[in-house]
Amino acid sequence: MTADIPSQEIGTPIPQNVSHAVSVTLPTWEATVGYEEGESWVTSKMNSGYPRFFIHSKIGELSKNVESKYGRDGEKSIIFPSYKVAKRCREFIKLRSKKPVRILQLSTPPPSNDFEKSSVIQSTIGVVFFSEEDFPIAKQYWQHSGEGISSRMAEYVLRELFENEKKDKDRFRSRTKQELQAERIQKKSPSISASFRSSSLSQNEEVEKEFNTFIEQKYGRVLDLKFAKEAKRALKRRICGKVDKSKNQEEEMEKAKRGKNLSENDVFLYPTGMASIFNAHQICLGISDTPKKSVCFGFPYVDTLNILKKFGPGVHFLGFGDDQSLDQLEKDLRSGEKDIMALFCECPSNPLLKTPNLKKIRALADEFNFLVVVDETVGNYLNIGVLPYSDIVVSSLTKVFSGDSNVMGGSLILNPLSQHYNEMKTYLDDEYEDLFWAEDALYLERNSRDFEVRSHKINQTSLDVVDLLVNHPLISQVFYPSLLESKKYYDELKTPQGGYGGLISFVFHKPEHAKSFFNHVLLHKGPSLGTNFTLACPYAVLAHYQELEEVEKWGVDQNIVRISIGLEEKDELLATINSALDIAAAQN
């Protein structure tokens, strides 16, 4: 297997040889089914997987160490990045089980001197202990909320708490000459922060100077933990449409992607995209006088619906997400329906790529006083502008914003023009925890620097792939924002330089052709989307295997294939797809 050909071996991380890879190879239709059914010929080879569904080896190792040292007989554990999150998991379990549940809080030591700040950071984890039989319940919370500990954080905590138990005692005895020299310099010279204070700089000027230092050094290869705060600030600026400030730019410029009223203080970072959705729902519940059901408008990604179902009063599911659904919602509202707290939707939806009529949704929300939460992951803010029609915008930064498929992340944006803004901001001021692990933030910042260039290329290539699929005789339907009836709503949101994104779903006339195509196409095959490489999956089988007949009622064909377009050369990608189509056609 050459380096240029995607691995077709079950369980291979995607990207290969990346210890924190987000995706994993399921190279055939049969392997995907085998994975869903728990067949050993597949599961025994799965050494990695999508992080919210698969417990990473470092997380598993940390759990075993914690259980061995602190656990009781018959207990299992699951680990979260804070005590507050662990409490939420405990309550979730207690509502579904009568067996004992307890929490242990553990912390790693802080850096002992300035030299250590590059590689040492104090961190706290919340460990939930429960009966072994309740592990499936705890795992539900992990998956749905997206608030589980990241694999990089687990790796760090494992090293600090268990692999380096003697570190604190030996730290001063084993200092290097470089550390000793650094200590002598610190004694002779004031610290950087002290220097700032002595020169009478304001607090804002101090922060700005530190940020500029980060920007000047950000193209280095070393990921320095002491720059995590600056990396997060750079991410927030990028998300809200600001250009990074460097020595070549005297003034920051706005890209007009988000609007002049948005500031980085309205952007909140989370460990995963699902955590941002989960916390958006928590905001809606938290600011409501009386929590009510939410509306799920359109067929969404599986865990979005699970969040709305399992946390709070429940959900009104309008799975088609079309004009008729919106007309019915309006009719119900005008007939006195008052049990609506918020409306959640994707723009466009995954996997059917429908675009909701956000203008009408916004008008109804204003008239009947409910919040609008829009997941823009598939569209992305370079292509569409959904903020004016939303109270909250959420996104998975794991996808095209990162591209490299080696880090998880999510964002939540409050619309400063929302009539609910003050309530939402007050809630987050009290409740928000920054749980985005420092090293993950550094990776994501580095990955996302060329986001705009990558997004543009993906848009262009996708149009050619769509043309190929639309005109192929084996294919009965192609789902893409520019092809559907809801294109008119997408075009209302499209930015001047925006495109229609990189996600394409399609259905074959015959199921056997879908399976043959998928088995023979030489692409990366596994969960996730928005990667820098083209990634394919049999979506319904992978995401809804236990409910295939149910999802078909909402227009999701059991044999639908989804492709997320990457950065390959267009002609090579078209040839790869065409070759697999030819093989499928030959098997009539």
Side-chain angles (χ1 to χ4, degrees), residues 106-109 125 156-165:
L106 297 172
S107 296
T108 64
I125 58 172
Y156 177 86
V157 173
L158 179 67
R159 183 172 66 246
E160 290 292 304
L161 289 185
F162 295 100
E163 295 175 2
N164 297 332
E165 283 187 314

Side-chain angles (χ1 to χ4, degrees), residues 182-249:
E183 186 176 282
R184 284 194 291 271
I185 291 171
Q186 288 169 24
K187 288 179 179 179
K188 293 178 181 179
S189 306
S191 67
I192 292 176
S193 58
S195 297
F196 286 167
R197 287 192 294 272
S198 65
S199 61
S200 300
L201 291 177
S202 69
Q203 185 175 2
N204 288 339
E205 287 172 318
E206 288 180 31
V207 171
E208 194 68 20
K209 187 168 182 178
E210 290 177 359
F211 182 73
N212 292 342
T213 300
F214 163 71
I215 292 299
E216 289 171 5
Q217 299 184 23
K218 74 175 188 174
Y219 290 100
R221 294 176 62 84
V222 178
L223 293 177
D224 193 325
L225 292 183
K226 71 173 179 284
F227 284 136
K229 183 186 294 185
E230 286 79 6
K232 292 178 183 181
R233 188 177 179 207
L235 286 166
K236 290 181 178 183
R237 288 185 168 191
R238 196 166 293 153
I239 290 165
C240 71
K242 310 292 186 189
V243 178
D244 292 335
K245 187 173 184 180
S246 74
K247 59 186 177 182
N248 296 321
Q249 292 172 300

